[in-house]
Amino acid sequence: MAEDFEKTADDFQNIDEIDEEMESVDDDSQDKESNSSDDDELELELVGQLKQKIKESPYLYDNHTELIKLLKKLGELDELRNARENMSKLFPLTPELWLDWIKDELKCLSGETEDREKIHKLFNLAVQDYQSVPLWLEFAQFSIGEMSSKDGMRKTRETFERAITAVGLHVSQGSTIWEAYRELENAVLATLMPMPGSVATQEQEEAFSAQNQRVSLLFKRQLAIPLLDMDETLRL
C-alpha cells in the first residue's frame, strides 16, 4: 500500500515537471514571436528612415544598398524592385547587384513572353553598366531558354555573338563564354546526326555538314585569341 502511494506521488511529480517544461517551452516560443515582431517593426522603421535619407540626399550610394538589403530581407518584392530601379537611375550597378536583381526576378517568372522580355531588358541594362563575364554568361544562358520561340535560335546566337564581342577577349574568363557557345552549337549538331541504322537524306546531310562547319569555325575563332586554358581547348 505504502509502495503504491509512493509510486503515485512520483507519477504526480513527473507530471508536474512535464507541465513546467511545457510552460517553459510555451514561454520561450512566445518570447521568440515577440522578439521577431519587435525586430520586424524596427526594420520597417529603418526602411522609412532610409527612404527619407535617400529623398534628402539621393546620391549617397550606401543608403541605396542598405535599403535594398533590408527590403530583400523583409521580402517586400514590389518595394525592392522600386528601390533597385531608383538606384539604377542614379548609379551604375555592380555586376553582383545586377545578378542579384535578375535572379530575384527570375524566381517570379511566369513563363509569359511579356515577363521574359522584362528579364531581357534587365540584362541589356546590366551589360551597359559593366562588361562583366558572369553577367554576359547569365544573359547567354537565359537566351538559350528562348530557343523554342519564333527566331529563337537566331536570337540566341546573336546574344552569344554580342557576348563574345564584349568579353570574349577577357584573358582569364573569356573562355567560359566560348565554351558555353561551343556547347550550344555541339548540342545542335547532335540533334542533326542521323539515327543509327537510318539513311540520311541529302537535306539532312547538308544540314549536318553546315552545322559541323559552324562548330569547326567557332573552335578556330577561339584558338585565334590568347586566352587561358587554350591547351584544354586544343585537346577537345
Side-chain angles (χ1 to χ4, degrees):
M1 186 79 173
E3 290 179 358
D4 291 342
F5 180 79
E6 290 177 359
K7 182 177 180 182
T8 302
D10 289 341
D11 289 341
F12 277 118
Q13 183 177 358
N14 290 335
I15 291 173
D16 289 339
E17 290 175 354
I18 292 172
D19 288 340
E20 289 176 1
E21 289 178 1
M22 291 180 67
E23 288 177 1
S24 176
V25 170
D26 289 340
D27 290 340
D28 290 343
S29 178
Q30 290 175 0
D31 289 341
K32 288 179 180 178
E33 289 179 2
S34 177
N35 290 336
S36 177
S37 178
D38 291 342
D39 289 343
D40 288 345
E41 289 180 6
L42 288 172
E43 288 172 342
L44 287 172
E45 184 179 343
L46 183 55
V47 166
Q49 293 173 0
L50 286 168
K51 286 182 177 179
Q52 184 60 32
K53 288 181 180 179
I54 290 171
K55 185 177 180 180
E56 294 171 356
S57 304
Y59 291 99
L60 290 179
Y61 186 92
D62 288 346
N63 286 340
H64 289 275
T65 56
E66 286 301 316
L67 178 60
I68 287 171
K69 288 178 183 177
L70 197 53
L71 290 172
K72 184 178 175 68
K73 181 180 178 183
L74 291 170
E76 299 288 344
L77 297 181
D78 289 336
E79 288 196 48
L80 176 59
R81 185 181 294 115
N82 289 334
R84 284 164 163 164
E85 288 175 352
N86 290 334
M87 184 179 181
S88 69
K89 293 174 183 177
L90 300 172
F91 304 98
L93 304 188
T94 64
E96 291 75 21
L97 284 172
W98 274 115
L99 285 172
D100 199 35
W101 182 357
I102 291 168
K103 287 176 181 178
D104 284 343
E105 295 292 344
L106 284 171
K107 293 174 185 176
C108 305
L109 191 65
S110 65
E112 297 292 331
T113 302
E114 185 178 347
D115 287 342
R116 296 192 69 84
E117 287 175 354
K118 289 178 182 178
I119 302 295
H120 201 274
K121 182 179 179 181
L122 280 181
F123 271 119
N124 276 316
L125 291 172
V127 296
Q128 287 175 20
D129 274 357
Y130 281 94
Q131 296 302 322
S132 159
V133 174
L135 265 177
W136 272 110
L137 186 59
E138 287 288 336
F139 191 3
Q141 290 174 339
F142 173 76
S143 73
I144 292 175
E146 300 178 293
M147 284 176 58
S148 60
S149 64
K150 184 180 179 181
D151 294 329
M153 190 70 241
R154 177 182 60 79
K155 292 177 181 178
T156 300
R157 282 174 173 149
E158 285 178 356
T159 302
F160 269 103
E161 288 294 335
R162 288 177 60 197
I164 283 175
T165 300
V167 294
L169 295 176
H170 193 290
V171 174
S172 61
Q173 297 180 352
S175 59
T176 59
I177 296 292
W178 289 97
E179 287 167 7
Y181 197 180
R182 290 202 323 269
E183 286 178 9
L184 168 68
E185 297 296 357
N186 275 318
V188 174
L189 182 65
T191 65
L192 297 174
M193 294 181 68
M195 296 294 291
S198 65
V199 179
T201 64
Q202 183 177 352
E203 184 179 355
Q204 289 174 327
E205 289 180 353
E206 289 175 353
F208 181 83
S209 177
Q211 181 62 23
N212 195 38
Q213 288 179 9
R214 185 189 293 274
V215 172
S216 178
L217 179 60
L218 198 53
F219 267 106
K220 292 176 181 177
R221 288 172 62 192
Q222 181 180 357
L223 291 173
I225 302 170
L227 303 172
L228 290 181
D229 301 324
M230 287 187 68
D231 292 343
E232 183 68 24
T233 303
L234 280 169
R235 281 195 290 271
L236 296 173

